[in-house]
Amino acid sequence: MVPYYRMGWRDFIDSTRDAIAEIGAEIGISDEPEKRVKCPKMVFAHYMLGLTVNHTYQDWEDEIRAAKECGIDGFALNTGPQDHWLNEQLTLAYQAAERAGGFVLFISFDFAFEWPVQQVVDLINRFKYSPAQCVVDGRPFVSTFEGPQWADNWPLVRQATGDIFLVPDWASLGPHGVGQKLDYIDGAFSWDAWPKGCNHKMGPDEDHLYMAALQIEKPGIFGTPNNKHKYMMGVSPYFYTNLPQWNKNWYCSSESLWYDRWQQILEVQPDFVEIITWNDYGESSYIYDPHRDDQVVPGADAYVKGHSHDAYRAILPHFIQAYKAGKTKAKPRENLEDVAIAWYRRTPASAGHHGETAWGQGGDALAAHGAKDVISVVAITKEENTVTVTLGDGQPREFQTVRGSSYFEVPFDENTLGPVRLQLNGQVTEGPDIHCSCEDKVNFNSVVIQVPGRM
């Protein structure tokens, strides 16, 4: 860092402003008057509790530490009523979060299953006084995966628990439908975090529709008004699932999704953000690799094994800080190194049988026709810099970054194969090779690498 006495006055002002913003980001205060907020913004990660049958206390400590290191504030614990390990794992999770400090948890009730009212009440009451329980406006935060058909039960739950702060995902209703149920809820979470069928990209239009349906006012000169309802926006790095036992077999275009969606979060500035997901291996949306075979649902091991996603987390500290500071662009954190990540499929889409995988949920075309054969690269740099990508024996491709975040793509095909090398600031990381041999069918999952490499 340049000493203040050697800076020009503009650099000194910029440096001071950035330092203030970084402190403000930690407590949810923006340095931009029109985006100051009273309720601290928080970033959560959707966590599949059903995949923790053999989790230990140490597992929870390790995962909470990893989440905190990249700026995540807490886990949304996706919970079904049928798992016999539910109570044990919830207890371990809350104990580990309490010990870690500065990390919160809340239950996200999964309404793909039937929930008795009393079981919902008992779970909320059991953990609502934990120091690790996420609390908003003095009430325990509660969310769902779907469940609009259960809406009439939430007043009973409120009465039996002393009230809750309910932010469900009722995406099946759409923004307009959610807007018809404002009396039941304190906010809404949108699960729509991937491009629709046969679309390469998604935009923030639906997020704006949710905010309009929730009657969320735009920030004014004196800060964000104390809106009755809050909006939690979903962001995901990837999506591919092929689980015939659950009639699931589709790929959502994810070539630039992790970058695009964070850019949209900075534009929309929702009250909360939920990363989908921390550990849903069956849908390839994970940002934390499995450490045991029993964490991966049967059938998904074929496309999860050897496909690390840990490096997706490397850019999170920068985007999360920018979001909390009310910035419209990611700015590199001064205390962290420049970083670049790259994600890619390990075969061209035409390298083998397409496996009948659809292009997007409900799409009427094949993923093999929609998936782009590219290496996707995101770099976060403090100044203009150069990122180099080399595929096999091919010529290195150099890309110039800007201060902040940059996105690039490197195409590949059957004639450009081999290991992927990513270089930044003289440091090189080599990732798994791109090849043309498919044992069964094309694997549409990605592998992710980063430079500098993980310790």
Side-chain angles (χ1 to χ4, degrees):
M1 185 173 179
V2 180
Y4 73 89
Y5 53 81
R6 295 184 61 184
M7 293 180 179
W9 67 272
R10 289 184 183 277
D11 291 336
F12 177 71
I13 292 173
D14 288 344
S15 178
T16 303
R17 184 183 295 117
D18 289 348
I20 293 171
E22 185 164 343
I23 295 171
E26 299 299 323
I27 58 175
I29 298 174
S30 171
D31 64 329
E32 299 178 26
E34 71 276 16
K35 291 178 181 173
R36 291 178 187 150
V37 294
K38 295 179 181 179
C39 177
K41 298 174 182 175
M42 287 184 281
V43 177
F44 310 111
H46 197 81
Y47 192 107
M48 305 298 290
L49 195 75
L51 302 178
T52 61
V53 59
N54 290 316
H55 251 42
T56 65
Y57 180 81
Q58 187 62 54
D59 289 328
W60 283 108
E61 277 200 331
D62 292 344
E63 294 188 40
I64 288 171
R65 184 183 310 110
K68 288 183 66 175
E69 286 174 352
C70 63
I72 293 172
D73 297 295
F75 287 150
L77 299 171
N78 178 285
T79 305
Q82 77 289 353
D83 297 327
H84 65 80
W85 56 91
L86 182 154
N87 288 323
E88 176 189 3
Q89 292 301 332
L90 280 173
T91 299
L92 290 176
Y94 273 89
Q95 288 175 347
E98 288 172 9
R99 183 172 180 179
F103 194 81
V104 296
L105 304 173
F106 62 87
I107 297 175
S108 178
F109 293 93
D110 193 329
F111 280 95
F113 309 93
E114 290 294 324
W115 278 94
V117 172
Q118 191 59 49
Q119 190 176 9
V120 171
V121 168
D122 289 345
L123 282 177
I124 293 171
N125 282 337
R126 180 178 176 184
F127 297 103
K128 67 182 180 181
Y129 294 121
S130 166
Q133 171 63 46
C134 181
V135 175
V136 176
D137 288 352
R139 293 173 281 161
F141 195 100
V142 174
S143 189
T144 75
F145 174 74
E146 282 300 333
Q149 75 283 356
W150 211 80
D152 289 339
N153 291 312
W154 285 112
L156 302 175
V157 174
R158 289 184 187 275
Q159 183 177 12
T161 58
D163 209 359
I164 57 176
F165 196 91
L166 179 62
V167 182
D169 155 48
W170 289 344
S172 59
L173 298 180
H176 178 73
V178 168
Q180 303 303 305
K181 293 184 177 291
L182 297 187
D183 290 342
Y184 289 98
I185 62 178
D186 300 287
F189 167 44
S190 172
W191 192 259
D192 290 323
W194 302 274
K196 307 289 187 186
C198 301
N199 282 275
H200 284 291
K201 289 179 176 287
M202 68 176 298
D205 293 350
E206 192 155 294
D207 302 294
H208 290 298
L209 290 175
Y210 269 104
M211 294 180 76
L214 293 166
Q215 300 173 17
I216 295 176
E217 301 171 41
K218 295 191 69 175
I221 189 66
F222 297 110
T224 299
N226 188 21
N227 292 298
K228 180 179 178 182
H229 296 94
K230 306 293 183 185
Y231 179 53
M232 184 157 67
M233 186 170 167
V235 55
S236 184
Y238 212 83
F239 195 102
Y240 167 57
T241 184
N242 192 339
L243 298 172
Q245 67 268 38
W246 290 322
N247 297 313
K248 295 164 61 173
N249 183 12
W250 67 88
Y251 161 79
C252 295
S253 289
S254 304
E255 291 85 10
S256 63
L257 181 63
W258 194 223
Y259 179 76
D260 292 343
R261 196 63 175 154
W262 274 107
Q263 294 293 108
Q264 291 162 19
I265 285 169
L266 299 187
E267 173 193 329
V268 174
Q269 290 292 323
D271 298 286
F272 311 111
V273 172
E274 187 165 320
I275 297 168
I276 315 172
T277 64
W278 182 260
N279 66 332
D280 195 341
Y281 307 112
E283 296 186 347
S284 306
S285 59
Y286 54 99
I287 61 172
Y288 186 87
D289 293 343
H291 287 225
R292 295 188 314 276
D293 290 344
D294 62 15
Q295 293 176 274
V296 182
V297 297
D301 54 313
Y303 52 87
V304 172
K305 187 176 181 180
H307 288 70
S308 173
H309 282 199
D310 277 352
Y312 274 130
R313 301 198 306 271
I315 62 173
L316 282 178
H318 310 279
F319 278 104
I320 290 175
Q321 174 189 269
Y323 157 66
K324 290 185 176 182
K327 299 291 185 182
T328 57
K329 295 182 180 179
K331 298 185 70 175
R333 293 187 61 157
E334 293 299 326
N335 61 326
L336 298 177
E337 290 183 85
D338 290 354
V339 64
I341 68 172
W343 64 96
Y344 54 94
R345 285 178 290 103
R346 294 194 60 191
T347 64
S350 59
H353 191 272
H354 49 68
E356 305 298 332
T357 300
W359 180 16
Q361 186 173 11
D364 57 5
L366 291 171
H369 299 155
K372 296 168 63 178
D373 294 337
V374 295
I375 302 165
S376 306
V377 180
V378 173
I380 309 281
T381 57
K382 295 183 180 69
E383 305 294 342
E384 293 182 0
N385 208 328
T386 301
V387 172
T388 303
V389 181
T390 307
L391 176 53
D393 297 327
Q395 290 295 316
R397 296 279 303 274
E398 292 188 349
F399 300 93
Q400 300 304 123
T401 73
V402 297
R403 182 174 186 266
S405 62
S406 305
Y407 175 78
F408 314 102
E409 289 183 354
V410 179
F412 64 86
D413 57 29
E414 292 86 347
N415 300 312
T416 53
L417 306 172
V420 175
R421 289 182 291 277
L422 184 65
Q423 180 174 345
L424 175 66
N425 290 335
Q427 301 182 70
V428 181
T429 296
E430 182 171 297
D433 65 316
I434 295 175
H435 54 81
C436 273
S437 57
C438 292
E439 294 181 4
D440 182 16
K441 50 184 173 285
V442 172
N443 181 353
F444 287 94
N445 192 11
S446 66
V447 63
V448 194
I449 60 175
Q450 72 179 73
V451 57
R454 298 189 303 274
M455 298 297 291

